[in-house]
Amino acid sequence: MSNINISTVLKRLEAVTSRLEDLYEHSDKSVPQPSNTSTPTAAPAPAAPAPVQVQVFEDLPSVVAYDEQILKGKVQPFVKLTEKFSIASLVEQSKLVERLYTNLGGIIRVAAICKKPDQAAFAEVLHDLQGDIEAISAIKDSNRKERNWFNHLNLVAEGSPAVGWITMESKPGQYITDIKEATQFYGNRIITEFKEKDKTHVEWVMGFTSIFDEMKKYAIEYHTTGLVWNAKGMSISEYKASTPAAAGGAPPPPPPPPPPGPPPPSSAPAAGSGAAAVFAELNRGADVTKNLRKVDKSEMTHKNPALRASSAVPSTVGSSATSKKPLKPAKPQALMGKKPAKFALEGNKWAIEYQENVGVLTVDNAEFSHVVNLFGCKNSTIIIKGKINAVTIVNCIKTSVLVESVISSVSVTNSPSFTLQITGSAPTIQLDSTDSGQIFLSKDCLNAEITTAKCSSINVSLPVEGEEDGIFEEKPMPEMLLTKIQHGKLVTTVVEHVG
């Protein structure tokens, strides 16, 4: 019996052992194992982006020469001289000149490193120069009342486009010379006015024009056929990426902010601000107009005469308390003050301006190289003695001009009711945008060529052959033209009236 009990105990022990082994295996399977499909956990913060690698470029000789010869050698001394004696508006203008030439130096530095860009990219590079030139001109236009300084402001404004030589495909030096000559008109005025009063003004003019001389020498030495680009250089976009401060001298951007935490649970997104809010509103589609209020008829000016009569529109909620003042309208030309008359020889140019109701003005001892410029004259007679280079008549009304001989041409522009008499010879007479004029030619001037554009009622009086001097026959200039298409070309002839 004891044997039976022992076997029974052994069987029970084996059963318990088997049961324990089953429980052990089951417990191993129930323990969660690591896998790719585990429950989501908080994502680790992204690694900070690598810092931008700023590449440092060595300045080439052309860049160093520009900084030393032009920026430091001419422009900065000019600005310092301006600060010593001039008004605030001219000082501000000179500061813009310094910024203009600083930006020009930046473009020269870019050209030394980069290859030549396309037109669109180059226009973007020139954007700062264009803005500086417009700002310099705006200061001149807004200070027209500064009569004692207006020639100074004009001189700087006329000279600012000289930096445009970098856009020339060839002969940039000639372009700089042309700009310098254009500024001489105002420079001579300043020198004539102040040479006996204050030599500082004369020194100031010389300092400004010396910028052109130095820049011309620099352009001829380093950029003879136009701005020189680096044929083996990088593109402008690559240059800007490698040097964040290249375009405009801006400091490097700050490091990125730390990664944001998980968004708070919310049923509706919080309202944004700025551009993000605008685009968020636009993305709502038709719902964007859901909050608009319907305007009552009593608030419509086109349906409410009383509201129109009061000329008052209720201000909207949240509108700014202060509003910009309306721009003051420009005074009509007829109400502007009368400009001072002028009759002077400036270099080789006779300046005859704003002469009104003057009987006779005579230009004596004229020379071959002299040019007579008439501007803004009215009801006056000008007599020019001697043989001169050219005569120009612009914006004159009922003005008579008697000239002996002209080497080049006589030009009449926008000068109605003019009278021109040539007692000697002139090869060319040019008429533009002028109505009602009389031209008297001598026997020596019958070979002259007369060109007209947008003109009417022009009569030419020719001497009658065989008659004494002073007997003329009037001939009208044709105004009606006939154009036909012949063999794919336009052929124009004068319409002849028969009958």
Side-chain angles (χ1 to χ4, degrees):
M1 183 165 183
S2 60
N3 293 336
I4 296 174
N5 290 336
I6 292 173
S7 63
T8 302
V9 172
L10 292 174
K11 288 181 179 180
R12 288 183 178 181
L13 289 174
E14 290 175 358
V16 171
T17 303
S18 177
R19 180 60 177 167
L20 291 174
E21 289 175 355
D22 293 338
L23 290 174
Y24 181 79
E25 292 177 359
H26 179 71
S27 63
D28 287 343
K29 293 180 179 179
S30 63
V31 175
Q33 301 296 328
S35 64
N36 293 334
T37 58
S38 61
T39 56
T41 58
V52 178
Q53 297 297 327
V54 178
Q55 189 172 355
V56 179
F57 300 96
E58 294 184 2
D59 287 337
L60 296 180
S62 61
V63 180
V64 176
Y66 176 86
D67 290 340
E68 296 295 331
Q69 299 175 14
I70 299 176
L71 197 57
K72 296 179 182 179
K74 296 296 180 181
V75 177
Q76 293 178 358
F78 166 75
V79 175
K80 291 180 181 178
L81 178 60
T82 306
E83 292 174 342
K84 290 182 180 179
F85 78 103
S86 65
I87 59 175
S89 57
L90 188 59
V91 172
E92 181 183 2
Q93 202 180 40
S94 68
K95 293 288 187 182
L96 289 174
V97 169
E98 183 177 12
R99 188 175 75 179
L100 174 69
Y101 281 91
T102 301
N103 289 333
L104 175 62
I107 295 177
I108 293 175
R109 182 174 290 104
V110 169
I113 299 172
C114 302
K115 59 186 177 182
K116 188 173 182 180
D118 56 17
Q119 291 294 331
F122 191 41
E124 183 179 354
V125 171
L126 297 176
H127 182 267
D128 289 343
L129 291 187
Q130 295 172 351
D132 293 339
I133 294 173
E134 292 173 0
I136 291 172
S137 181
I139 292 178
K140 181 258 297 185
D141 293 334
S142 60
N143 290 275
R144 292 183 177 274
K145 294 182 180 180
E146 299 289 348
R147 294 185 177 274
N148 294 332
W149 296 92
F150 194 57
N151 287 327
H152 301 68
L153 296 169
N154 268 304
L155 175 67
V156 177
E158 289 290 331
S160 60
V163 298
W165 65 265
I166 60 175
T167 63
M168 297 292 106
E169 295 295 337
S170 62
K171 297 182 179 180
Q174 181 60 43
Y175 174 82
I176 299 173
T177 300
D178 294 340
I179 296 296
K180 179 185 177 182
E181 292 178 353
T183 63
Q184 285 180 347
F185 176 77
Y186 297 103
N188 291 339
R189 280 186 167 186
I190 298 170
I191 293 174
T192 303
E193 182 179 358
F194 291 98
K195 63 182 179 181
E196 302 296 336
K197 300 178 183 178
D198 188 351
K199 296 289 186 181
T200 307
H201 294 261
V202 179
E203 181 184 353
W204 182 84
V205 173
M206 297 302 179
F208 184 70
T209 55
S210 67
I211 297 176
F212 306 135
D213 298 332
E214 193 66 32
M215 189 161 56
K216 180 180 178 180
K217 290 194 297 184
Y218 168 81
I220 293 176
E221 182 176 357
Y222 294 100
H223 306 275
T224 308
T225 58
L227 183 62
V228 177
W229 296 83
N230 188 344
K232 298 181 180 180
M234 62 178 67
S235 65
I236 291 182
S237 58
E238 294 173 344
Y239 173 73
K240 290 182 178 180
S242 61
T243 55
S266 146
S267 58
S273 61
V278 175
F279 286 108
E281 289 293 323
L282 294 177
N283 290 333
R284 292 171 55 192
D287 292 339
V288 74
T289 60
K290 187 176 294 183
N291 295 327
L292 295 180
R293 179 177 65 86
K294 184 176 181 180
V295 181
D296 188 74
K297 290 185 178 180
S298 62
E299 298 175 338
M300 299 180 182
T301 56
H302 65 286
K303 292 186 178 181
N304 190 350
L307 191 59
R308 287 201 306 271
S310 66
S311 300
V313 179
S315 61
T316 58
V317 178
S319 61
S320 175
T322 59
S323 59
K324 293 183 178 180
K325 295 182 179 180
L327 295 176
K328 185 178 180 180
K331 186 180 292 185
Q333 185 69 26
L335 300 180
M336 289 186 178
K338 185 178 178 181
K339 296 185 178 181
K342 183 175 183 180
F343 184 84
L345 175 62
E346 299 173 345
N348 63 338
K349 298 178 181 179
W350 285 90
I352 305 175
E353 301 176 0
Y354 306 110
Q355 300 289 341
E356 187 171 346
N357 299 321
V358 178
V360 176
L361 284 175
T362 304
V363 177
D364 292 317
N365 302 322
E367 300 178 1
F368 291 164
S369 61
H370 286 181
V371 176
V372 178
N373 297 323
L374 280 74
F375 183 84
C377 299
K378 184 177 181 181
N379 296 327
S380 301
T381 300
I382 314 297
I383 299 177
I384 304 172
K385 295 183 178 180
K387 192 172 186 178
I388 62 174
N389 187 15
V391 178
T392 61
I393 306 171
V394 181
N395 293 342
C396 297
I397 302 175
K398 295 182 179 179
T399 300
S400 301
V401 178
L402 174 65
V403 58
E404 290 185 7
S405 294
V406 178
I407 299 174
S408 178
S409 65
V410 179
S411 176
V412 182
T413 304
N414 195 25
S415 300
S417 303
F418 76 94
T419 301
L420 172 65
Q421 183 173 359
I422 302 175
T423 59
S425 61
T428 305
I429 301 173
Q430 300 173 343
L431 309 178
D432 188 7
S433 303
T434 299
D435 298 326
S436 182
Q438 297 282 341
I439 301 176
F440 294 87
L441 302 180
S442 67
K443 295 180 180 179
D444 297 332
C445 198
L446 296 180
N447 293 326
E449 297 180 353
I450 303 176
T451 61
T452 60
K454 299 168 62 176
C455 298
S456 63
S457 302
I458 305 296
N459 296 317
V460 180
S461 296
L462 305 177
V464 179
E465 187 175 357
E467 297 289 343
E468 60 183 4
D469 293 341
I471 305 299
F472 294 91
E473 182 180 3
E474 189 176 80
K475 303 285 186 181
M477 293 283 292
E479 299 179 18
M480 185 177 295
L481 305 176
L482 174 65
T483 301
K484 297 180 179 180
I485 302 174
Q486 296 180 0
H487 307 293
K489 297 181 179 180
L490 298 180
V491 179
T492 303
T493 57
V494 177
V495 175
E496 297 182 0
H497 298 278
V498 180

